[in-house]
Amino acid sequence: MKSDTIHSEVPRRSAPPVRASAAGHLQAWLPKLVLAPSVVISLCFVYGFMLWTFILSLTDSRMLPSYDFVGFAQYARLMNNERWWVAATNLGIFGALFVGCCLVLGAGLAILLDQRIRREGVLRTLYLYPMALSFIVTGVVWKWLLNPGLGIQAMVRGWGFESFTFDWLVDPDMAVYTLVIAAVWQASGFVMALFLAGLRGIDDSILKAAQLDGASLPRVYWRVVMPCLRPVVFSAVMILSHIAIKSFDLVVALTGGGPGYSSDLPATFMYAHAFSRSQIGMGSASAILMLGGVLAILVPYLYSELRSRRHG
Amino acid sequence: MSALEIDNVCKDFGTTRVLEEVSLAIDSGEFLILVGPSGCGKSTLMNAIAGLEPVTSGRILVGGDDITWRTPAERDIAMVFQSYALYPSMTVHGNIAFGLEMRKVPRVEREAAVERVADLLQISHLLNRKPAQLSGGQRQRVAMGRALAREPQIYLFDEPLSNLDAKLRVEMRTEIKKLHQRLGTTIVYVTHDQIEAMTLADSIAVMRDGRILQLGSPDEVYNNPADMFVAGFMGSPSMNFIEARLDGEPGAYRLHIATDGEAELTLPWPASRETPALAEHVGRTLTLGLRPEHFAEEDARLGDRAEGTPLSARVSVVEPTGADILLRLPLGDTEITARVGPDCRVAPGERLGLRVDMRRAVLFDAETEARLA
């Protein structure tokens, strides 16, 4: 009986190898076929255009691209351009404050939410909602809120505090800080979610052990928990800084780069020069410098992450 | 004055009561083990002692001080966790010194303490490593070192060996026992492993459903169990429970065990083990408790001098463990386990003559599971 069944199975098994190998070929090629269009598209439209931008930044292109190479003259012009330095300084202020405030607020909210409070789900969603909005919407909302004649200033004055002034939006020295307020409002809930996920991954008994060791709650978090969250901090800094560097829509919606060009960021500078001021060459040069900025953050980050993973 | 006294402690989670009027006291230097199945409240009791869970009512005293409402930091208690709970970002040295640092112990003393426990636990060569670079047994040692460095009044161990493999568990068990003998520390130790409980404890508290069923020395708990649950929980393989009908009169009680298709088996109950409670149960079916080692192979050479009550049964399974042989034999309605010497030559299906040591047998009420004799 046994040997019969074995015999009858052998030819049946050996019959479909042709089909099987065709299927095997298909199986081996299918992922490549499916991925090919996106690889081509990203090669062409991301890396291709990056390369084109770099080439344009070496030319004297103004309203239309030209291919008269002028070396690094556009970069030299950029370095002598006062407006570029305003934009770059603004990016420094905006980036540092935005990343810093988001981390502190996000971590704080996450720690408070992690105390097993009631209605945590509702609060978590509430804090996370701003992230669901586009920066344009955030910009418009805060434009109204910060408008001295319509928003917070008008409201507080309406309550009777006639001397109350909150006009950062129209103050050239302070306009960049309104960008920070709006961006922090939008992104800190997201950072909170990152930290909360990290906190939830920490073994409960570690907190208990630290308590028994005599550490107060702030010290438990500072000495024991936060060091465990280093990867989360890294990811948050990484995500936030590239949001900061490419910030464009928020500036356009909230301040329009103004008053004057006092709240310009490199992205708005680049757009203004490349597309409305017929300075494609200089705009490209500024775009390449921004790319350099992103890479300067990205490369060390990836390096340290990959290295720690290899060690871990 | 007791080192640790727990006085009528109750704990509710919502409407569920997880600790029901738990009271116990241990002396300084005593090794107390809380043992019981999962969900019996032993870990909750330990967390209550540590101050990690507030109690609903009752008092906890350490060295005579009422610490019921103190924070964990204010109690002089250290704990070793099941997951070790080492601080992942700190080195072994940092882990051991952290508690001292938080208690503002000067640096010199701190270093001395770290050195002392590292020597004691043989982890001096690991001091600069991070927990992730350690093996399970090494982590276990570091976790103990962290507790030892602080020299607290009471050590709590929460199933510390359950994440180790079998061989390491036995090694660490011995090591904990040695440490306790050497340092004379007061330890409360939670486990669900009754062998750990038997080997380590000065006293064992067997818990079930939030109550302490029995508190006593390992010998008492093992040989003189308070009820059927304790009897069945302690010991491996566990105690055999056989249904038996009691008859006779004081001085001459007998137990009858009905057996399938064979003559009824009669075991005389030793007069020395009689209790007044037995008189009320004459004619009723009780549960006879016999441990596997209460059986012995009939030794023909001893003849009439052999002790115990003779009994013969057909062997269904033979399980040699090396040190001895476990036999499964049908007796009455159940199948019992008997532990015999390693040179017993018996094959499944054969009949084997056994002797039962009835002086060590125990009797329970079949319904209430309470101990009768």
Side-chain angles (χ1 to χ4, degrees):
Chain A
M1 268 305 280
K2 256 185 189 168
S3 65
D4 269 355
T5 51
I6 288 168
H7 274 290
S8 63
E9 261 176 41
V10 168
R12 231 185 285 152
R13 280 228 180 114
S14 57
V18 182
R19 247 196 299 156
S21 81
H25 270 294
L26 186 66
Q27 205 152 42
W29 277 96
L30 195 62
K32 291 169 193 161
L33 278 173
V34 171
L35 285 176
S38 59
V39 170
V40 170
I41 287 170
S42 66
L43 268 181
C44 174
F45 290 97
V46 177
Y47 298 98
F49 281 167
M50 252 184 224
L51 186 69
W52 194 24
T53 307
F54 178 64
I55 292 168
L56 285 179
S57 75
L58 301 175
T59 65
D60 63 351
S61 311
R62 294 186 77 90
M63 201 170 106
L64 290 170
S66 88
Y67 293 96
D68 298 330
F69 287 93
V70 292
F72 288 94
Q74 298 286 14
Y75 292 89
R77 275 182 66 204
L78 197 60
M79 290 300 121
N80 291 323
N81 186 314
E82 193 208 345
R83 187 170 170 182
W84 166 256
W85 284 113
V86 169
T89 317
N90 279 345
L91 178 63
I93 296 169
F94 172 73
L97 283 176
F98 169 63
V99 173
C101 292
C102 276
L103 282 179
V104 170
L105 261 176
L109 284 173
I111 289 173
L112 292 179
L113 267 187
D114 196 36
Q115 307 302 314
R116 294 192 207 159
I117 53 167
R118 245 180 287 170
R119 300 253 155 258
E120 185 210 305
V122 176
L123 285 172
R124 205 172 47 205
T125 317
L126 217 59
Y127 287 128
L128 203 50
Y129 256 131
M131 197 65 188
L133 298 178
S134 138
F135 262 123
I136 294 285
V137 178
T138 307
V140 171
V141 168
W142 280 96
K143 188 179 182 174
W144 290 339
L145 281 173
L146 294 169
N147 185 317
L150 293 170
I152 297 168
Q153 179 179 313
M155 184 177 73
V156 177
R157 283 193 178 173
W159 289 343
F161 301 95
E162 294 294 340
S163 59
F164 178 82
T165 310
F166 186 53
D167 57 355
W168 289 5
L169 193 64
V170 292
D171 180 344
D173 293 331
M174 301 305 280
V176 65
Y177 298 102
T178 62
L179 296 176
V180 176
I181 294 172
V184 166
W185 175 81
Q186 168 146 16
S188 50
F190 170 67
V191 178
M192 176 206 74
L194 285 180
F195 272 103
L196 198 56
L199 285 173
R200 288 289 146 83
I202 289 176
D203 181 3
D204 216 27
S205 51
I206 291 181
L207 301 182
K208 291 183 182 173
Q211 265 177 288
L212 278 165
D213 263 345
S216 58
L217 204 60
R219 296 197 97 170
V220 172
Y221 276 100
W222 184 246
R223 289 288 306 275
V224 178
V225 175
M226 279 304 158
C228 300
L229 295 184
R230 249 186 51 190
V232 177
V233 176
F234 259 124
S235 323
V237 168
M238 168 69 201
I239 293 166
L240 292 175
S241 14
H242 94 263
I243 290 180
I245 292 176
K246 70 181 192 190
S247 278
F248 172 76
D249 33 10
L250 181 67
V251 185
V252 169
L254 184 60
T255 65
Y261 51 78
S262 60
S263 63
D264 246 353
L265 288 184
T268 50
F269 174 93
M270 183 273 293
Y271 179 82
H273 282 79
F275 301 110
S276 44
R277 294 170 64 111
S278 304
Q279 296 282 355
I280 286 182
M282 194 153 84
S284 302
S286 66
I288 292 300
L289 287 185
M290 280 167 63
L291 177 67
V294 173
L295 287 180
I297 294 167
L298 194 66
V299 171
Y301 168 76
L302 284 181
Y303 179 73
S304 78
E305 275 297 279
L306 294 176
R307 196 187 51 173
S308 69
R309 204 161 299 160
R310 226 180 295 137
H311 278 270
Chain B
M1 190 175 63
S2 316
L4 171 69
E5 192 181 340
I6 292 167
D7 182 21
N8 269 322
V9 162
C10 296
K11 169 75 188 169
D12 298 337
F13 283 123
T15 54
T16 1
R17 176 147 282 200
V18 289
L19 289 179
E20 181 93 53
E21 293 184 359
V22 172
S23 292
L24 57 84
I26 56 171
D27 291 327
S28 181
E30 203 174 333
F31 200 132
L32 169 74
I33 289 201
L34 305 174
V35 67
S38 337
C40 70
K42 55 190 193 296
S43 289
T44 312
L45 180 57
M46 170 151 289
N47 284 337
I49 298 172
L52 298 167
E53 295 274 8
V55 298
T56 309
S57 66
R59 294 191 309 155
I60 299 169
L61 295 94
V62 171
D65 294 336
D66 189 340
I67 58 154
T68 318
W69 300 109
R70 290 197 196 157
T71 64
E74 290 162 355
R75 304 176 184 210
D76 197 8
I77 287 175
M79 188 159 169
V80 178
F81 292 84
Q82 180 177 4
S83 60
Y84 316 132
L86 300 179
Y87 310 128
S89 58
M90 296 181 202
T91 60
V92 169
H93 182 285
N95 266 283
I96 295 174
F98 185 72
L100 298 170
E101 197 188 326
M102 289 298 120
R103 278 158 208 274
K104 304 199 168 56
V105 174
R107 194 181 181 84
V108 184
E109 282 175 46
R110 221 155 65 202
E111 293 303 317
V114 172
E115 206 174 306
R116 177 177 59 82
V117 301
D119 278 348
L120 190 67
L121 295 165
Q122 294 148 32
I123 48 173
S124 305
H125 59 295
L126 304 173
L127 284 177
N128 291 321
R129 297 217 196 144
K130 291 275 179 74
Q133 297 163 296
L134 303 177
S135 68
Q138 289 169 335
R139 284 181 210 185
Q140 175 63 59
R141 280 166 196 273
V142 176
M144 280 174 23
R146 190 169 63 181
L148 287 170
R150 269 177 39 209
E151 298 188 317
Q153 291 188 51
I154 295 174
Y155 292 85
L156 304 177
F157 285 77
D158 187 6
E159 307 208 13
L161 304 182
S162 53
N163 284 356
L164 300 177
D165 63 62
K167 189 166 174 287
L168 208 51
R169 197 178 315 159
V170 176
E171 275 176 33
M172 288 306 291
R173 202 168 71 199
T174 317
E175 198 135 333
I176 291 175
K177 183 141 195 169
K178 274 188 196 157
L179 268 175
H180 175 246
Q181 285 169 354
R182 198 162 144 195
L183 304 174
T185 46
T186 311
I187 296 179
V188 180
Y189 186 113
V190 161
T191 182
H192 60 262
D193 181 349
Q194 45 85 25
I195 296 179
E196 255 170 53
M198 290 296 295
T199 49
L200 290 171
D202 292 324
S203 55
I204 296 180
V206 184
M207 294 187 67
R208 184 198 197 183
D209 298 336
R211 294 165 193 275
I212 293 183
L213 299 180
Q214 188 171 9
L215 175 64
S217 69
D219 181 54
E220 272 168 29
V221 171
Y222 190 77
N223 291 315
N224 201 5
D227 66 9
M228 233 170 108
F229 177 81
V230 175
F233 190 78
M234 303 304 292
S236 170
S238 56
M239 185 183 264
N240 300 298
F241 294 119
I242 306 151
E243 287 200 342
R245 195 168 45 80
L246 180 76
D247 75 357
E249 63 264 12
Y253 286 117
R254 289 177 304 278
L255 291 162
H256 300 282
I257 300 167
T259 48
D260 258 356
E262 288 181 34
E264 197 181 56
L265 190 67
T266 304
L267 299 169
W269 184 253
S272 60
R273 293 289 311 281
E274 273 176 22
T275 57
L278 286 184
E280 299 161 24
H281 291 82
V282 171
R284 287 171 59 181
T285 301
L286 306 179
T287 304
L288 169 67
L290 285 169
R291 293 208 179 271
E293 65 269 24
H294 295 168
F295 295 89
E297 193 188 352
E298 178 92 76
D299 192 338
R301 285 168 301 172
L302 291 174
D304 288 342
R305 284 176 296 125
E307 290 184 348
T309 313
L311 172 90
S312 102
R314 199 171 292 281
V315 176
S316 59
V317 182
V318 179
E319 298 173 315
T321 65
D324 41 29
I325 297 176
L326 299 175
L327 303 175
R328 304 282 291 167
L329 323 134
L331 188 73
D333 298 335
T334 53
E335 192 168 60
I336 60 158
T337 308
R339 194 196 292 269
V340 296
D343 13 280
C344 176
R345 296 276 167 265
V346 67
E350 286 177 10
R351 263 195 111 74
L352 182 70
L354 292 166
R355 291 265 169 179
V356 193
D357 189 353
M358 288 300 287
R359 287 167 309 169
R360 294 163 73 191
V362 283
L363 264 183
F364 302 101
D365 188 315
E367 279 153 31
T368 64
E369 305 200 344
R371 176 84 180 273
L372 295 174

